[in-house]
Every structure is written in structure tokens, then in C-alpha cells.
Amino acid sequence: MQLLKQKVLDEGIVLSNQVLKVDSFLNHQMDPVLMKEVGREFTRRFAGEELNRVLTIESSGIAPGIMTALELEVPMIFARKQKSLTLRDDIFVEKVYSFTKQETNEITVAKKFIQPGDRVLIIDDFLANGEAAFGLARIVEQAGATVAGIGIVIEKAFQPGGRLLKEAGYRVESLVRVAALDDGKVTFADQD
């Protein structure tokens, strides 16, 4: 996705050989025009999958998730990182380790929002080690639903998440794959 690649080059900040900061357009301030195009591209890539839910994780997955759900005309659910007082017993819970934040969170989704037979598209902003995507997939599977695919805005292809998800049998579509973050610059990987 050329528009996204250009945004990464123009506005992304390489903080280390492991961390790319994209807070000016993806996960703090959001570019709505870019997010609309992200939603369209995920919809194009997963055409024919008969999806009826989009699932993401708060908070950085919400923008690409909602725009994808809007294009697909299906509901979007986001897994919460903090327990809500209104979410009590009827929830799915998974532990997810965040590479960027170096912490483990319990994520929760109310059971009423994912039903057996649902075909769910998981959307997330970044893919590093795959922890968030695996946690979301486990929630979908606990519900008796199917993970129809996993859409990632930016994959750090030099980390194992994409490979591990594919080896586990999931279809992964990354809009941009980063091969390296060396010497303060982004090098893109070839798309699969």
C-alpha cells in the first residue's frame, strides 16, 4: 500500500532497531483519510471471506478496525485492556504481552458479541511477536467462531509474529512489512 509506505517514510520515527513510532498518523493522532484507505484495502484483500465481525484491541487497533468494519458493513468489537465495572462474568479473557509497552495485559470481550459460527476478521495496528493477534484469535476460538483472517497495518517482518501466525494456520495480510529499522531509517520487506 503505497500511501501507507509514504506516510511511514515521511512521518515515522525510528526510535531503535526494534521500535518505529507512528503516532502522528496511526496510534495517537490519526489520519482519517489514510484510515479510510486502510479499511478499503483490508476489505479488498479479504473479499469473498463472508465476514460478519471485525475484532481489534484497544486503543490503536480501533481506527483501522472501525474503518474496515465500515467498509464491510459489519459490527466492530474491541477487546478491552482494563476490566470495566459493567463487564462481569460473561466475558472471554486472555493475557497478552505488549512488546512495545513491555507489559502483560488481560484483554476482555463480552461473550454476547462473538457467537459460534461467526466469521471474524482480526485487525491490529502493529505485528511484532504476534501476542495480541494470538490473544484475539484465542478469544474468537473460545467463542466457537472462526478467525477468517488477520489484517495488520504495519508488520515488523524482522520479528517472528507473522511467521508464527502463518505456521499456526492463520491467513495474515500486512499492508506494509518492515524488514529493518537500522541507522534511523525504515527498510521495507517484499510483500508475500
Side-chain angles (χ1 to χ4, degrees):
M1 196 176 157
Q2 199 55 45
L3 178 63
L4 179 57
K5 278 186 176 179
Q6 199 56 53
K7 272 286 197 188
V8 169
L9 291 174
D10 293 346
E11 298 180 33
I13 300 167
V14 177
L15 296 180
S16 73
N17 66 352
Q18 299 288 311
V19 180
L20 173 63
K21 185 176 182 178
V22 291
D23 65 344
S24 68
F25 63 90
L26 180 58
N27 53 23
H28 191 52
Q29 173 175 272
M30 293 172 206
D31 180 333
V33 173
L34 176 63
M35 290 302 103
K36 185 176 182 179
E37 292 305 314
V38 163
R40 284 185 176 151
E41 182 63 15
F42 281 135
T43 299
R44 185 188 70 75
R45 290 190 186 199
F46 290 99
E49 285 292 336
E50 298 181 32
L51 305 162
N52 69 330
R53 298 272 185 278
V54 169
L55 175 63
T56 192
I57 193 167
E58 70 174 347
S59 65
S60 298
I62 292 175
I66 195 69
M67 296 311 258
T68 303
L70 179 66
E71 288 292 319
L72 291 168
E73 298 181 357
V74 301
M76 185 205 76
I77 307 147
F78 66 89
R80 295 173 178 255
K81 290 182 184 171
Q82 284 89 27
K83 281 193 178 167
S84 167
L85 293 176
T86 62
L87 286 178
R88 302 255 181 208
D89 299 326
D90 292 339
I91 57 174
F92 298 111
V93 180
E94 281 294 329
K95 289 188 188 300
V96 171
Y97 179 76
S98 169
F99 175 83
T100 306
K101 295 182 179 136
Q102 300 286 301
E103 66 184 23
T104 299
N105 290 296
E106 277 193 350
I107 60 170
T108 61
V109 173
K111 289 182 178 180
K112 67 182 179 179
F113 294 128
I114 304 176
Q115 300 294 313
D118 282 344
R119 293 188 48 80
V120 181
L121 175 60
I122 293 171
I123 299 289
D124 206 2
D125 63 335
F126 266 96
L127 174 59
N129 294 314
E131 293 285 329
F134 274 118
L136 292 170
R138 287 190 301 269
I139 286 175
V140 171
E141 290 159 0
Q142 282 180 52
T146 300
V147 176
I150 299 172
I152 302 296
V153 179
I154 300 171
E155 176 185 347
K156 293 193 266 182
F158 56 88
Q159 290 181 295
R163 178 182 52 78
L164 294 172
L165 288 165
K166 289 173 186 170
E167 286 174 359
Y170 297 110
R171 176 180 173 196
V172 179
E173 291 285 340
S174 300
L175 301 186
V176 168
R177 297 181 72 238
V178 175
L181 298 171
D182 295 326
D183 301 319
K185 67 178 191 176
V186 176
T187 303
F188 294 107
D190 293 331
Q191 293 298 101
D192 294 334

